[in-house]
Amino acid sequence: MSDRAKELERAIFNWYLEGDNAAPEPIFNVIADGYEYDLQMIVPIETSDEMIKMMGDDGKYFIPLFTSKDEVDKGEPTSTINQPIKVLFDALENWIDCLGFMINPWGQKLVLEKSTVQMLKSYERRAHISIIRGSVLEPHVSAIVNAANNSLLGGGGVDGAIHRAAGPELLAECRTLNGCETGAAKSTKAYNITTADDIIHTVGPVYSGKPTDRVQLSSCYTSSLDESFENGNDSVAFPCISTGVYGYPLDEAAHVALTSIANWLDDHYGILKNVYICCFRDEEYEAYMRLIKG
Ligand code: ADP
């Protein structure tokens, strides 16, 4: 699977993960980028019985497209070819009875009607920030951020969960990094964590009530995003840094996180398309909702 197709599969997964009211922008960002930069889709060249069932009685139909061989194999066996999404999107206007595309019809499917395809051809990409409930280990992304401690050798909370999921090779790589200063960030591979390619380890401040807390917390977000840029990550998932054992008040932490990420994105147009802020505890999610709605 090409990286762009993988990124599309990830964005669709996260859209389902978020459930009702999930914003479509993360998916649109990946498709619009792929329209410009050669996103290859897998197209079946035989019409299986399952596909015929997808067709309407009036002869109108959706064309099935797949992001990976695994997605193809969820249905009846079929031969396939690869096609750039640009070629498919541009040809759609000429296929009168075709209603659009159905991406991954046998799995987490995404329906793109003709009007949506038309809109996506000139869609203005803007990196999107999603606030989601749950662990940073749930969304599928290029990189997850770990709220680590200065040693980078593992700890409690999300740090422990990430080390357990990644396995002992992560600890071995972390040993080579010589720790990390508060507010800085360092990257490793994700090892046994299949939901991401890289891990960006950052160290949040232990809350003290001093003005430096805010500066250091902001720096965790921007340093992590700088790392993601270096790594070439398309999407990044953050936990709420310092709001667990390190005791940072939730409302202020949410404000610092959101403004730091938004400012960074304004200054860095390009590779990074989607940011997910993961709220493991309900209170963290509620703090973000207060901030956004207030
Ligand atoms: P910190 O020391 O930076 O406060 P914590 O790990 O205590 O780090 O908390 C950071 C974030 O990770 C918070 O959003 C917290 O709710 C979340 N978190 C805590 N434990 C887990 C876990 N087991 N899995 C996923 N996220 C967790």
Side-chain angles (χ1 to χ4, degrees):
M1 185 183 351
S2 86
D3 284 347
R4 288 200 163 79
K6 188 170 175 183
E7 205 52 39
L8 175 57
E9 204 170 295
R10 286 168 165 164
I12 297 171
F13 177 91
N14 297 339
W15 188 59
Y16 275 88
L17 179 70
E18 281 187 71
D20 295 345
N21 305 323
E25 282 87 347
I27 294 174
F28 291 171
N29 277 337
V30 178
I31 294 179
D33 176 79
Y35 181 76
E36 199 172 341
Y37 298 109
D38 197 32
L39 163 59
Q40 294 279 331
M41 299 298 297
I42 303 175
V43 190
I45 51 171
E46 296 156 5
T47 315
S48 69
D49 289 347
E50 279 173 300
M51 284 174 204
I52 290 166
K53 276 189 236 142
M54 273 169 53
M55 291 176 72
D57 297 336
D58 51 3
K60 306 258 189 227
Y61 61 95
F62 282 93
I63 295 176
L65 302 177
F66 298 91
T67 49
S68 63
K69 182 85 173 52
D70 285 349
E71 287 293 333
V72 176
D73 290 344
K74 288 178 182 171
E76 289 171 12
T78 175
S79 311
T80 59
I81 53 165
N82 286 355
Q83 280 277 303
I85 206 163
K86 182 169 186 0
V87 170
L88 296 160
F89 275 19
D90 289 348
L92 181 62
E93 297 171 35
N94 306 322
W95 301 330
I96 305 300
D97 288 329
C98 180
L99 298 170
F101 298 106
M102 199 176 286
I103 297 178
N104 295 341
W106 321 137
Q108 291 189 319
K109 65 167 167 283
L110 175 74
V111 176
L112 296 176
E113 293 184 358
K114 229 173 196 168
S115 55
T116 311
V117 169
Q118 199 55 36
M119 179 277 288
L120 285 170
K121 285 163 71 171
S122 55
Y123 183 77
E124 206 172 310
R125 277 175 285 138
R126 196 158 189 273
H128 189 265
I129 307 173
S130 310
I131 315 294
I132 63 174
R133 291 175 191 268
S135 161
V136 74
L137 288 162
E138 286 175 60
H140 289 190
V141 283
S142 298
I144 57 171
V145 176
N146 180 17
N149 57 38
N150 294 114
S151 76
L152 294 188
L153 299 180
V158 71
D159 197 7
I162 287 175
H163 273 269
R164 277 194 297 281
E169 283 176 297
L170 173 60
L171 183 59
E173 186 175 355
C174 283
R175 282 191 206 287
T176 68
L177 298 177
N178 299 317
C180 183
E181 302 211 341
T182 304
K186 293 186 176 179
S187 299
T188 65
K189 285 189 277 191
Y191 297 102
N192 294 340
I193 294 176
T194 53
T195 54
D197 302 325
D198 301 315
I199 304 173
I200 299 168
H201 306 263
T202 189
V203 184
V206 178
Y207 186 72
S208 66
K210 296 188 190 131
T212 47
D213 293 340
R214 185 180 265 271
V215 176
Q216 288 178 329
L217 186 62
S218 175
S219 173
C220 285
Y221 286 95
T222 55
S223 306
S224 299
L225 292 167
D226 288 342
E227 277 294 303
S228 83
F229 197 75
E230 289 286 313
N231 299 339
N233 299 130
D234 285 76
S235 51
V236 175
F238 280 98
C240 301
I241 299 161
S242 283
T243 61
V245 178
Y246 283 4
Y248 210 110
L250 299 182
D251 289 285
E252 186 181 317
H255 185 261
V256 172
L258 214 49
T259 50
S260 306
I261 295 170
N263 288 339
W264 189 94
L265 290 172
D266 280 346
D267 292 344
H268 298 79
Y269 183 84
I271 309 167
L272 186 61
K273 294 171 197 71
N274 296 313
V275 176
Y276 300 89
I277 300 178
C278 304
C279 300
F280 187 62
R281 290 185 293 138
D282 287 345
E283 295 91 313
E284 292 165 341
Y285 185 78
E286 284 153 16
Y288 274 100
M289 292 305 111
R290 276 194 295 278
L291 182 64
I292 291 165
K293 288 173 187 156

